[in-house]
């Protein structure tokens, strides 16, 4: 157990559940305190899982489509690492960033619309070509299932490519449903997709745990009133993972499964000295 927990890093205390439902943390955070807690006396019942950068390493295929789009527009290609820093808030934001060359850039509407059509065509072809699940994802999802946790995938990637790439790896069967970035008017970091998922699962909001890789997942979870755990290997829009407020950072799904198993799904108990 010690080994599996070693990678869990204690994060800034979550003093009060934003929705007021989970109440105060039940133990001090010094040493091996509780880091995130399900609603008092109740275990976590569901995990809402992000896709890009959490389940699957998808940037090689996204970058291929971005560069095919740029070639059609007569523009120079950009490096995969730059594309990785632009992924997180869905395709429209990605293309504004690519066309404008910065995180806050906005492209002119006609150009953006043309780029979107070209990107969608190119991504339909490249999606799944080089994408791979991260180590421990498949075994971790199986462990979550064995723990009796309900699972839904909540992504900012549009529904069609999300469904296609998850099905390619048999991961669609692991989730009760997948909510794509175009399924609702709102996307992460807004809380609505998470609240929608909790409602659809029939699980109380504070009994849901968001598992993601970026500040978009963390902010959505906080706004919804959920605990949030981030993987340390995903796409953070160029931000150091340590700067993103969350309950814990984990090296793999298996580490989270072990922490939840050890606590009867009631909390993430952080190993002493694991910070
Ligand atoms: O498509 C994106 O920009 C990010 O997708 P994600 O929410 O699955 O990380
Ligand atoms: Mg992600």
């Amino acid at each position: 157990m010690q080994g599996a927990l070693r990678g869990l890093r204690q994060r800034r205390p979550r003093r009060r559940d934003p929705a007021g439902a989970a109440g105060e943390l039940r133990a001090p955070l010094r040493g091996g305190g509780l880091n995130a807690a399900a609603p008092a006396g109740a275990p976590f019942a569901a995990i809402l899982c992000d896709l890009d950068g959490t389940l699957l390493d998808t940037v090689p295929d996204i970058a291929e489509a971005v560069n095919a789009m740029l070639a059609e527009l007569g523009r120079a290609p950009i490096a995969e690492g730059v594309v990785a820093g632009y992924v997180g808030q869905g395709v429209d934001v990605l293309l504004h960033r690519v066309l404008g060359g910065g995180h806050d850039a906005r492209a002119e509407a006609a150009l953006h619309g043309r780029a979107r059509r070209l990107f969608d065509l190119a991504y339909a072809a490249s999606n799944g070509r080089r994408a791979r699940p991260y180590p421990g994802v498949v075994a971790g999802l199986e462990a979550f299932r064995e723990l009796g946790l309900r699972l839904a995938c909540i992504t900012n990637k549009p529904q069609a490519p999300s469904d296609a790439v998850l099905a390619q790896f048999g991961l669609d069967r692991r989730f009760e449903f997948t909510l794509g970035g175009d399924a609702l008017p709102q996307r992460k970091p807004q809380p609505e997709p998470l609240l929608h998922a909790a409602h659809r699962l029939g699980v109380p909001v504070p009994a849901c745990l968001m598992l993601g890789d970026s500040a978009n997942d963390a902010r959505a979870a906080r706004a919804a009133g959920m605990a949030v755990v981030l993987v340390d290997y995903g796409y953070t829009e160029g931000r150091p993972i340590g700067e993103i407020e969350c309950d814990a950072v984990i090296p793999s799904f298996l580490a989270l499964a072990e922490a939840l198993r050890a606590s009867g799904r009631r909390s993430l108990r952080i190993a002493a000295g694991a910070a």
Side-chain angles (χ1 to χ4, degrees):
M1 185 175 83
Q2 198 69 0
L5 287 177
R6 198 168 298 133
L8 284 169
R9 280 200 281 122
Q10 187 172 303
R11 303 305 308 280
R12 258 164 297 191
R14 179 167 165 261
R15 296 197 189 287
R16 186 178 283 281
D17 172 72
E24 298 290 342
L25 288 162
R26 283 177 278 161
L29 285 157
R30 233 172 295 111
L34 296 182
N35 205 345
F44 285 112
I47 294 182
L48 308 183
C49 189
D50 173 61
L51 196 164
D52 291 305
T54 301
L55 288 167
L56 300 175
D57 182 14
T58 49
V59 154
D61 298 336
I62 295 172
E64 186 179 330
V66 161
N67 284 324
M69 176 272 289
L70 288 172
E72 285 288 327
L73 293 177
R75 293 188 173 208
I78 60 176
E80 197 173 293
V82 175
V83 175
Y86 289 165
V87 169
Q89 292 182 25
V91 177
D92 282 335
V93 173
L94 167 72
L95 297 183
H96 278 298
R97 290 170 169 176
V98 165
L99 294 169
H103 275 87
D104 301 321
R106 282 199 67 82
E108 182 268 316
L111 173 64
H112 187 274
R114 183 158 176 239
R116 177 69 200 253
R117 287 187 291 280
L118 291 168
F119 175 86
D120 285 348
L121 274 177
Y123 193 47
S126 69
N127 184 23
R129 227 176 245 163
R130 285 186 285 164
R132 294 290 175 268
Y134 290 102
V137 160
V138 174
L141 290 173
E142 180 60 20
F144 295 152
R145 193 191 63 78
E146 284 169 5
L147 285 166
L149 288 154
R150 313 273 303 276
L151 295 171
C153 179
I154 314 300
T155 175
N156 280 348
K157 185 195 286 299
Q159 193 74 47
S162 298
D163 289 341
V165 76
L166 289 173
Q168 179 179 330
F169 296 103
L171 294 178
D172 54 332
R173 298 192 304 271
R174 302 274 175 177
F175 299 102
E176 292 185 40
F177 57 86
T178 295
L179 200 60
D182 52 356
L184 297 177
Q186 305 86 0
R187 289 186 311 276
K188 301 174 291 183
Q190 293 174 281
E192 281 82 0
L194 280 56
L195 297 170
H196 177 94
H199 181 76
R200 193 158 155 189
L201 288 167
V203 169
V205 167
C208 294
L209 176 65
M210 180 71 210
L211 173 55
D213 67 331
S214 77
N216 301 306
D217 302 309
R219 287 171 55 204
R222 288 296 186 245
M226 293 179 189
V228 56
V229 172
L230 298 181
V231 297
D232 68 2
Y233 52 72
Y235 315 137
T236 57
E237 297 176 304
R239 286 181 64 182
I241 188 88
E243 278 183 8
I244 303 173
E245 196 278 326
C246 64
D247 292 301
V249 175
I250 54 166
S252 81
F253 279 28
L254 285 169
L256 176 60
E258 176 55 26
L260 289 168
R261 191 201 60 74
S263 67
R265 296 187 335 210
R266 280 182 159 70
S267 67
L268 303 172
R269 191 175 292 278
I270 306 306

